[in-house]
Amino acid sequence: MKNFAVLFLLITLCSNCCFGWGFKNNKVDTEGKGYLGTLPDISKNFSPNEPKTTKPVFEASQDFNSANEIKPIPKDNPAFVNIILKDNKTSPYLNDIIEILTQLENLLLCIENRDNVQIFNAKAYFFNKTIEFFRDKYQDMPESSFISYQKLMQLSTYTQSVANLRAEAEKYRPYLAYTGAGYLYNDNVIDQQLEYLKQEIEDTIVILKEVH
């Protein structure tokens, strides 16, 4: 009986040692890995932020395209019709013609007012220089076939001839008689040439005003 009690005690001690050794080897190492327990569900305590739709700072007008919202076109306003609606058909050639027209009108007025030689020749010189530039600009272009171009070339030549005649008459008339070579510088001859030139200028102005 005594031996049995000692044997039982030994078996018990051995069992405890084996259990402790096994538990020690199966222990999970949690050092440095934070809390591994069960966390509480906190999602029910708040709701996620939902994106909000931004409203425009102005309200759309349903009547924007209505007749009450849009002002009518001022068709009765000449400035609107001529500037806004009218197509720009101005060409460089037409711009040059407009400038030449102004010079021709001044030259015509000079003849009608019977201005002196110096004033007439100054206007004639300015006109002829303008035509020289005009000729050089368009002589190799389709505009050189226009009636207005050809008429201006002829008028420039005739204007230069009359200007030369008046300048020579002013210079040589005191020394020449009204017969022979002096006849060319007679006042009647000069007046006749000026009248021819006046008619040519008027005809040319009509042609130039028809240029579109």
Side-chain angles (χ1 to χ4, degrees), residues 46 64 66 85 154:
F46 69 93
F64 180 78
S66 66
L85 295 184
Q154 297 171 3

Side-chain angles (χ1 to χ4, degrees), residues 191-205:
D191 289 343
Q192 187 180 42
Q193 294 300 317
L194 285 173
E195 187 62 28
Y196 289 154
L197 178 59
K198 176 176 176 291
Q199 185 62 49
E200 288 296 316
I201 293 175
E202 291 174 343
D203 293 345
T204 304
I205 289 176

Side-chain angles (χ1 to χ4, degrees), residues 65-83:
N65 293 322
S66 66
N68 295 328
E69 294 293 331
I70 301 179
K71 295 182 179 181
I73 296 175
K75 295 181 178 179
D76 297 333
N77 187 340
F80 180 85
V81 174
N82 293 333
I83 298 175

Side-chain angles (χ1 to χ4, degrees), residues 45-173:
N45 294 328
F46 69 93
S47 59
N49 291 330
E50 297 293 338
K52 296 182 179 180
T53 303
T54 303
K55 294 183 179 180
V57 295
F58 57 89
E59 295 294 335
S61 175
Q62 296 179 354
D63 297 331
F64 180 78
N65 293 322
S66 66
N68 295 328
E69 294 293 331
I70 301 179
K71 295 182 179 181
I73 296 175
K75 295 181 178 179
D76 297 333
N77 187 340
F80 180 85
V81 174
N82 293 333
I83 298 175
I84 305 300
L85 295 184
K86 188 176 182 180
D87 293 336
N88 184 10
K89 298 180 179 179
T90 304
S91 65
Y93 184 81
L94 180 57
N95 289 333
D96 293 337
I97 290 296
I98 293 173
E99 179 182 350
I100 293 172
L101 267 172
T102 302
Q103 295 184 30
L104 286 179
E105 290 172 349
N106 290 333
L107 188 59
L108 180 64
L109 186 62
C110 177
I111 297 175
E112 292 175 345
N113 292 338
R114 303 182 68 85
D115 290 335
N116 60 41
V117 177
Q118 288 75 18
I119 295 177
F120 172 83
N121 281 12
K123 293 182 183 294
Y125 175 83
F126 185 58
F127 167 70
N128 287 325
K129 285 298 180 182
T130 301
I131 297 303
E132 286 182 14
F133 173 80
F134 183 80
R135 179 194 61 211
D136 295 341
K137 184 176 181 179
Y138 296 106
Q139 62 182 350
D140 296 325
M141 300 179 66
E143 286 83 354
S144 62
S145 63
F146 293 175
I147 296 177
S148 55
Y149 176 90
Q150 297 173 2
K151 187 67 174 178
L152 283 171
M153 297 303 107
Q154 297 171 3
L155 181 62
S156 176
T157 301
Y158 190 38
T159 302
Q160 185 63 50
S161 298
V162 175
N164 291 339
L165 177 63
R166 295 196 69 179
E168 291 174 359
E170 193 75 9
K171 182 178 180 180
Y172 298 118
R173 187 163 47 190

